[in-house]
Amino acid sequence: MTGYRDLIHGREVVVCCGTGGVGKTTTAAATALAAALDGRSAVVVTIDPARRLANALGIDELDNTPKIIDGPWPGRLGALMLDTRSTFDEVVRRNAADDAQAERILSNRFYRNISTTLSGTQDYMAVEKLSELYESSDWDLVVVDTPPTRDALAFLDAPLLLARLLDNPVYRMLTAPSRGVLRIVNSAAQTMLRRLARVVGADVVDEAVAFFQSFEGMEDGFRTRAMATLDLLADDRTAFVLVASPRRDTLEEARFFLRQLEGSGLDVAAVVVNRMLPTMSTSPDRSFAIASARLHRHVAAAATALADHTSAAEGDDQRVEDLMGEVNGATLVKVPLLPSDVHDIDGLNQIAALLVRGSGGVLVE
Amino acid sequence: MDPGDFFASSRVLIVAGKGGVGKTATAATIAVAAARTGRSVLLIEVSGRSAAAPLLGAEPQGYEETEVVDDVGRPTNIRCRSLTPDQALVEWLADHGFKRIARRMARSGVLEVVATATPGIKDLLVLGKIRQLETARAADLIVVDAPAAGHAVGFLRSPAGVLETARAGTIHRQAEQALALLSDPDRCRVMLVSIPEETPVNELIETSFAVEDEVGITLGPVVVNSVLPLIPGLDPAKTKRSHYGAITDVEFDDMLAAATFRLQRSALQQQQLTRLAGQLPLPQIRLPHLFVPHLGPPQIELLADALTAGIESLVDQP
C-alpha cells in the first residue's frame, strides 16, 4: 500500500474534499507544503480560508494568480484564494469569439448574478482554476481545496455547469426558435416566460433572455473543455483525498462522499482524519472505575479528566477503521487534535510532517 | 430571565452558525427547552439534511411535519419538518398559478434560470414559507436551523437582494413581507452558535455584524457549544502517585496525560470565550461539552437543562 508521500510525489493534481469544519483547507495547504519540502513545485487553490491561515500564506485577498511563499524548502510553494467572479470572467473571455461578445456577456446583469447565485459556480471555478494551473505547466502539483458541501458530485458536475445551462430548453428556444419538433416545447416555454415575467418582473426575464442570446456559438467550446477536465479528474494524474474528523456524523458524511466518488468510478487515494484525540491505553470502563473510587482530590480530578477523555474517544479508532474497510487501497492518515488552530507556516509544517511520515505512530497504512 | 418570557419574546428563532459547531443540536436543544415552557414548537431544517429529528429520537423528517414523541411514546409538543429551497419554490409556484407546470418547470431547468436571474429568490421563498407558517401561527415558536455561516448571511440578506433585482411583480411583495418579518424583533430573532475555538469565534463575530448591520435583524444571546466543564482540583503537578495505590503505572500516566491535555484545551477555550465577550457585546449562553461519541435524545435533554439555566441567568432586558 502506498503512503501519503507517494501520493504527493506521484500525482499532478490532488483534490481535497469533505464537509466543512474538518480542516480541509489546512490539509490542502499542508499537502502543497509537503510537496515543496519534497522538492516539487506545488500550488494550492484555497476557497475561503480562515483569515490567519490566509495571512500566513500571504494571500490576504481574492486573487487569480498564485502568490509565491518563500521558505526553507527545496521546491516551490504557491497559494491563491479563489476569486470566483474574475475566474469566470476569464473563462468567458477565453471562450468568446471576439471582444464584443465577451463584453456583451460580462456586462449582462444575469451573468453578473451567476457568480454569486448559481449553485455550483464556486466548484466550477475551482475546477477551472485547477485545469488552468495544470495546463500552465508552471507547477508539478496542483492541490485544490473544494467548497464545503455535502455532495461530492457538486465538484464532479461542476465542469459541465455552463454546458448544461446552455443545454437548457430556454436557451435552445431562444437560439433555435424554429427547430421542428422543438417548436411545441418552445411555445410552452414561451408561455412560461411570459407568466414568469409577471412574477419576477419583465426586466429580469429580459436580462436572462439577453444572456442566453449572447452565448451564441460558445457551447461547443465549453463542452470540449468540460470533457477534458473530467478526463484529468478521472485518471491517475489526479488523487482524491477525503478529509474527515472522527465524529460519527462527519464519518457518515465521509462515507457518503466515498460512495458518490466510487459511483462515479473514482478512487479515493487517501483519507485524512483530523482532530483525533490522543490515544490512551486505559479503557473507558476502567477510567470510570478509577474516577468513582475514593481518591485524593487531585487524583480524583485527574481520574475524571481521563474518564471524560476515554469516553469521548471511545470508538473513534473503530469507526475510522470501519470506514477504511470500505475503501480499497487508500492510505489513512490520522492527525491528532492540536492544542491550537494552524495559522502559520510552522503549524503547516507540523501537519505536513504528519502527512508524510507520521509521528508518534499516527501514520497508519 | 424567565425561560417562558424568553421563548415568548419572538415567534421565530433562526439558529445560525458555521458548519461543525453543533448548530443543528443547538436548534434541537432550543426546541426542547421551549417545549418545556409549555409552548408548541415547530423545528424547521432548511439545509436539506434531516439531522434534527433523529437528535430528538424521531425518524428523519421530510417536507411533511413529523410529531416528536418521547421514549415512552407520549407527544412532546415538538414537530419537525424540512424546508428546502427547491421544495419552497415548487410550492410557491403552485400557489401562484403555476400549479400544473411547477414540477415540469423544475425538471426543465427553467427554474434554475429564474433562480439565477433573481439572486436570493430560493432563500427568499424559504423565508416566505416560514413567514407564512408564522402568520398562520403554525406553532407558538418556530425554530429554524439555518444554513451554515457564510450562507446564513446570504440567506438572511435574500429579501433585500431580491427587492433590488425584482423591482416589481409578486416576488417583490414577497420580499417586502419577508423583510418585515426579519426586522421585527417581536416576530423574529437570530441566535448565533459557535464553539470556543479561534476560527469559529472569528466567523461568529463577522456573521453577527453582517447580520445586524446589513440585514437589520435583532440578535439574541450567543450560544457557545462544547465548553469543557472545569474540574475542581485538576492540577497534574499536585497529582502524586503515592496518593493512590490501586492504579497501575500506565493508568497513572494516562491520568496525568489526560489532565494536562484537558487543562491545555480548557485554557485555550477560556481565551476564546474572553476574546468573544470582548469583541461581541452579546450575552453568552454556554453549553457544556459532552463526552460522548455522538448526541442523542438524552444528551439533548442535558443540553436543554444547561440552556434553560443559561437563560435564567440572563439579565432581563427592558
Side-chain angles (χ1 to χ4, degrees):
Chain A
M1 195 172 295
T2 57
Y4 206 82
R5 181 180 205 128
D6 300 315
L7 181 149
I8 288 166
H9 206 78
R11 307 290 182 126
E12 293 168 78
V13 174
V14 168
V15 179
C16 292
C17 49
T19 49
V22 293
K24 206 166 28 163
T25 309
T26 307
T27 304
T31 301
L33 175 60
L37 287 164
D38 204 23
R40 298 189 84 199
S41 169
V43 61
V44 57
V45 177
T46 68
I47 290 157
D48 198 19
R51 205 185 319 124
R52 283 180 66 182
L53 178 63
N55 290 346
L57 292 170
I59 44 171
D60 300 329
E61 47 192 41
L62 298 176
D63 205 351
N64 263 333
T65 43
K67 290 268 190 316
I68 304 295
I69 303 144
D70 294 321
W73 35 82
R76 199 158 62 105
L77 178 63
L80 70 81
M81 197 196 298
L82 183 71
D83 183 344
T84 304
R85 188 57 217 284
S86 65
T87 303
F88 214 137
D89 289 355
E90 279 174 18
V91 169
V92 167
R93 287 209 182 86
R94 223 176 16 239
N95 285 278
D98 50 41
D99 289 351
Q101 185 179 28
E103 286 316 310
R104 241 188 345 268
I105 295 170
L106 296 180
S107 62
N108 180 281
R109 196 170 71 185
F110 183 90
Y111 167 75
R112 293 203 305 273
N113 292 342
I114 278 190
S115 61
T116 51
T117 314
L118 190 59
S119 64
T121 304
Q122 208 176 28
D123 298 86
Y124 183 20
M125 289 307 119
V127 179
E128 274 295 332
K129 188 48 78 180
L130 178 168
S131 4
E132 187 196 312
L133 290 167
Y134 174 80
E135 282 161 11
S136 74
S137 305
D138 289 341
W139 306 96
D140 303 327
L141 177 69
V142 183
V143 184
V144 207
D145 176 22
T146 55
T149 169
R150 290 185 56 238
D151 191 354
L153 298 180
F155 194 75
L156 298 171
D157 273 348
L160 287 164
L161 185 91
L162 207 47
R164 199 173 299 125
L165 190 66
L166 297 178
D167 269 340
N168 194 290
V170 178
Y171 173 69
R172 282 189 273 128
M173 169 194 78
L174 294 166
T175 51
S178 56
R179 224 187 275 159
V181 198
L182 284 173
R183 193 175 288 159
I184 301 157
V185 178
N186 294 347
S187 81
Q190 288 279 15
T191 312
M192 274 186 210
L193 279 182
R194 273 200 302 277
R195 298 174 74 173
L196 280 174
R198 282 208 301 276
V199 175
V200 296
D203 49 346
V204 170
V205 173
D206 289 348
E207 284 280 340
V209 168
F211 169 82
F212 283 106
Q213 285 171 340
S214 64
F215 265 94
E216 175 98 61
M218 286 168 72
E219 316 90 288
D220 287 344
F222 285 119
R223 201 165 293 109
T224 312
R225 170 84 174 174
M227 294 332 273
T229 308
L230 286 173
D231 283 346
L232 169 64
L233 291 179
D235 70 26
D236 284 349
R237 290 170 290 177
T238 302
F240 281 84
V241 171
L242 187 59
V243 187
S245 88
R247 280 182 17 180
R248 196 174 77 155
D249 49 346
T250 66
L251 284 178
E252 263 320 305
E253 304 213 344
R255 183 169 276 120
F256 180 69
F257 266 82
L258 277 177
R259 292 208 191 100
Q260 285 192 316
L261 289 170
E262 271 170 14
S264 307
L266 297 170
D267 292 333
V268 171
V271 178
V272 175
V273 184
N274 286 322
R275 306 180 67 97
M276 292 293 291
L277 285 171
T279 310
M280 302 286 170
S281 10
T282 312
S283 73
D285 282 351
R286 175 65 184 149
S287 308
F288 275 110
I290 299 171
S292 58
R294 194 180 287 274
L295 297 168
H296 181 275
R297 181 161 180 263
H298 298 302
V299 185
T304 303
L306 180 62
D308 283 351
H309 188 109
T310 50
S311 49
E314 188 180 18
D316 277 3
D317 285 308
Q318 189 58 50
R319 277 194 301 279
V320 171
E321 225 169 85
D322 288 348
L323 179 72
M324 293 313 290
E326 297 168 27
V327 204
N328 275 333
T331 302
L332 168 67
V333 186
K334 294 182 190 175
V335 178
L337 179 62
L338 301 172
S340 69
D341 279 8
V342 174
H343 38 54
D344 54 21
I345 298 291
D346 279 351
L348 281 182
N349 233 323
Q350 221 181 324
I351 305 279
L354 285 170
L355 289 176
V356 173
R357 60 175 164 70
S359 164
V362 292
L363 180 69
V364 182
E365 289 194 338
Chain B
M1 187 175 195
D2 175 62
D5 293 344
F6 179 84
F7 291 115
S9 55
S10 293
R11 293 197 291 271
V12 178
L13 280 178
I14 298 176
V15 184
K18 176 186 158 70
V21 299
K23 183 172 54 68
T24 304
T26 303
T29 302
I30 291 171
V32 168
R36 285 185 190 171
T37 66
R39 276 165 185 75
S40 62
V41 181
L42 177 60
L43 177 56
I44 303 177
E45 210 170 342
V46 301
S47 62
R49 302 171 21 154
S50 298
L55 283 171
L56 299 172
E59 291 294 308
Q61 78 275 4
Y63 194 66
E64 302 299 321
E65 289 181 6
T66 305
E67 293 267 354
V68 178
V69 294
D70 67 11
D71 50 2
V72 290
R74 285 178 310 220
T76 57
N77 224 4
I78 301 174
R79 288 166 291 143
C80 293
R81 64 170 293 174
S82 68
L83 178 52
T84 64
D86 288 325
Q87 293 163 335
L89 188 52
V90 168
E91 184 181 325
W92 188 83
L93 286 166
D95 288 349
H96 287 81
F98 292 89
K99 199 173 186 95
R100 282 183 303 119
I101 54 172
R103 278 180 204 288
R104 190 151 53 87
M105 286 172 78
R107 273 200 308 274
S108 69
V110 175
L111 287 191
E112 203 50 46
V113 174
V114 176
T116 306
T118 320
I121 192 170
K122 286 184 172 183
D123 287 335
L124 171 67
L125 292 173
V126 169
L127 280 171
K129 178 69 191 172
I130 291 166
R131 188 198 63 84
Q132 192 191 7
L133 291 164
E134 181 251 4
T135 313
R137 298 286 193 276
D140 297 331
L141 180 69
I142 295 173
V143 179
V144 181
D145 180 9
H151 190 177
V153 179
F155 176 70
L156 297 168
R157 207 189 268 149
S158 62
V162 170
L163 279 180
E164 236 169 73
T165 324
R167 293 187 199 92
T170 324
I171 202 74
H172 185 88
R173 286 194 294 283
Q174 179 94 1
E176 285 176 335
Q177 290 170 337
L179 203 58
L181 168 73
L182 291 182
S183 50
D184 183 351
D186 290 337
R187 294 173 66 194
C188 176
R189 284 169 207 238
V190 168
M191 283 178 80
L192 295 173
V193 185
S194 192
I195 48 174
E197 287 181 27
E198 182 178 332
T199 306
V201 163
N202 288 342
E203 288 212 18
L204 174 78
I205 294 167
E206 281 164 25
T207 307
S208 68
F209 286 114
V211 165
E212 229 171 8
D213 299 348
E214 294 175 32
V215 189
I217 201 161
T218 303
L219 292 172
V222 167
V223 177
V224 188
N225 267 325
S226 217
V227 178
L228 291 165
L230 299 175
I231 304 174
L234 191 63
D235 187 347
K238 291 185 186 156
T239 308
K240 297 284 186 291
R241 185 75 185 87
S242 59
H243 287 313
Y244 189 65
I247 302 170
T248 67
D249 287 345
V250 171
E251 287 165 354
F252 188 74
D253 287 346
D254 272 359
M255 285 164 62
L256 286 184
T260 308
F261 186 74
R262 173 70 167 263
L263 283 175
Q264 269 178 2
R265 290 199 60 209
S266 216
L268 285 162
Q269 285 200 344
Q270 292 302 320
Q271 276 176 19
Q272 296 303 330
L273 288 167
T274 310
R275 190 167 70 86
L276 177 62
Q279 295 185 18
L280 193 66
L282 286 173
Q284 294 176 7
I285 295 179
R286 299 175 184 182
L287 301 185
H289 182 88
L290 298 178
F291 300 93
V292 289
H294 62 273
L295 302 178
Q299 286 77 35
I300 298 296
E301 291 291 335
L302 283 175
L303 292 173
D305 293 346
L307 181 76
T308 304
I311 292 168
E312 281 165 349
S313 64
L314 292 175
V315 180
D316 276 314
Q317 307 256 313

